[in-house]
Amino acid sequence: MLRTLCIGVAALLAGCASPPPMPPVASVDLDRFMGDWYVIAHIPSWPERNAYDAVESYRLLPDGRVQTDFRYRDGSFDAPVDTMHPVATVRPGTGNAVWGMQFIWPIKAEYVIAYLDAGYQTTIIGRSKRDYVWIMARVPCLDDAVYADLLRRVTALGYTESPRKVPQRCGR
């Protein structure tokens, strides 16, 4: 009986263990990373759960922080544009790949650049909690094979939920 109880408690505690830290890319050239990134798919935060035409824009500030402008339409292509304007602080010693994204003071959410192709055309932003993820690209729509590869990468990062594909207007 005691052995069964101990095994049960051990299994329960193992289920409560935190996932391993999100592995960042080795380094990010911030100047190359700046600009517009279309959100291709995501496991979204509450405000962006029904996003259409989602675009994240980054601009390096003189103090080294990153001004972020996130714009999207809520629920349809015809909805008005909503925006958020968080500011990110690049964490020292991370090769510019781990940011603290601040939507409200004093809370900084972890943002980890977990994948970035060599041409700075596609990226995956994740979190160690595996609660949110963003697949982004410099263009609003991707080739099916490229998209499938990015989804495989998200799974390899330890996500068990499938990202939601964000409706984008591909003809622009």
Side-chain angles (χ1 to χ4, degrees):
M1 175 71 166
L2 182 57
R3 182 171 189 256
T4 303
L5 180 62
C6 289
I7 290 171
V9 169
L12 181 63
L13 291 176
C16 295
S18 296
M22 177 65 56
V25 296
S27 68
V28 175
D29 178 335
L30 287 178
D31 289 326
R32 287 184 72 194
F33 196 82
M34 297 298 106
D36 291 346
W37 289 92
Y38 293 87
V39 181
I40 304 301
H42 58 185
I43 297 173
S45 64
W46 180 256
E48 61 183 319
R49 70 194 179 285
N50 298 312
Y52 280 61
D53 279 338
V55 179
E56 186 108 334
S57 300
Y58 301 113
R59 180 172 43 90
L60 198 55
L61 297 172
D63 65 3
R65 295 180 306 148
V66 179
Q67 177 62 57
T68 305
D69 297 309
F70 176 63
R71 60 190 184 276
Y72 65 99
R73 296 175 186 277
D74 190 12
S76 79
F77 288 118
D78 298 323
V81 174
D82 283 332
T83 60
M84 290 187 265
H85 306 283
V87 177
T89 301
V90 178
R91 293 198 183 144
T94 66
N96 300 325
V98 180
W99 302 1
M101 189 68 76
Q102 189 168 53
F103 289 88
I104 56 170
W105 185 86
I107 300 165
K108 289 185 182 176
E110 178 195 50
Y111 273 44
V112 178
I113 302 170
Y115 171 76
L116 179 60
D117 75 292
Y120 284 64
Q121 297 302 301
T122 58
T123 190
I124 298 170
I125 309 297
R127 289 171 35 94
S128 293
K129 291 181 180 179
R130 306 321 194 264
D131 50 356
Y132 306 124
V133 71
W134 297 267
I135 295 172
M136 299 191 293
R138 297 294 190 174
V139 295
C141 299
L142 294 175
D143 174 81
D144 288 343
V146 172
Y147 180 63
D149 178 62
L150 292 166
L151 287 175
R152 279 190 295 276
R153 291 176 184 275
V154 167
T155 300
L157 288 168
Y159 285 88
T160 56
E161 183 180 340
S162 295
R164 168 193 177 262
K165 193 161 190 183
V166 174
Q168 293 282 0
R169 293 182 184 156
C170 296
R172 16 180 190 186

